[in-house]
Amino acid sequence: QVQLVESGGGSVQSGGSLRLSCVASGYTYSKYCMGWFRQAPGKEREGVASIDSDGSTSYVDSVKGRFTISQDNAKNTLYLQMNSLKPEDTAMYYCAADPEGPYYSTGGYYCLHTPVGYDYWGQGTQVTVSS
């Protein structure tokens, strides 16, 4: 049974940093996509960043240059380093796994940034950024 457990959320002031972690267990896929998503109150869940089994990363425009997704396969852990945080980054953050990815197109392989296709989800960790 696949389990994803996030940690590392908290409250910080604008400009601060946080590092989120997501420990995966029971996940034995050799090819996959892992993603970080966030959902603010009253808004839809949105993709923030993704990484595939080969280490290729992708980011939504609003976090490019501020967030970094990484993984430590030896520890079965996914990370999201968040720097220069803004109040609009306030949300519940979730990690998710897509065992069908990455997907191929004429431009190469890619991971989805939409929740559809991600079969496994963590319980979420709250990030609050004050101005």
Side-chain angles (χ1 to χ4, degrees), residues 66-78:
R66 301 189 298 122
F67 291 10
T68 303
I69 188 171
S70 62
Q71 60 189 351
D72 185 333
N73 292 331
K75 296 182 178 179
N76 293 327
T77 301
L78 179 73

Side-chain angles (χ1 to χ4, degrees), residues 49-126:
S50 65
I51 187 167
D52 69 19
S53 41
D54 291 329
S56 295
T57 60
S58 179
Y59 301 89
V60 67
D61 286 345
S62 60
V63 307
K64 282 181 180 177
R66 301 189 298 122
F67 291 10
T68 303
I69 188 171
S70 62
Q71 60 189 351
D72 185 333
N73 292 331
K75 296 182 178 179
N76 293 327
T77 301
L78 179 73
Y79 301 101
L80 185 68
Q81 178 66 44
M82 305 186 295
N83 298 329
S84 302
L85 282 161
K86 304 175 181 180
E88 51 263 44
D89 294 318
T90 295
M92 185 72 80
Y93 282 72
Y94 301 87
C95 70
D98 175 4
E100 300 294 327
Y103 303 91
Y104 180 76
S105 73
T106 54
Y109 289 92
Y110 67 96
C111 292
L112 297 173
H113 274 195
T114 58
V116 174
Y118 285 82
D119 296 333
Y120 306 105
W121 291 84
Q123 82 290 349
T125 185
Q126 178 67 39

Side-chain angles (χ1 to χ4, degrees), residues 1-5 23-30 75-76 97 99 120:
Q1 183 177 356
V2 176
Q3 281 194 317
L4 303 175
V5 180
V23 178
S25 60
Y27 198 79
T28 59
Y29 299 96
S30 59
K75 296 182 178 179
N76 293 327
Y120 306 105

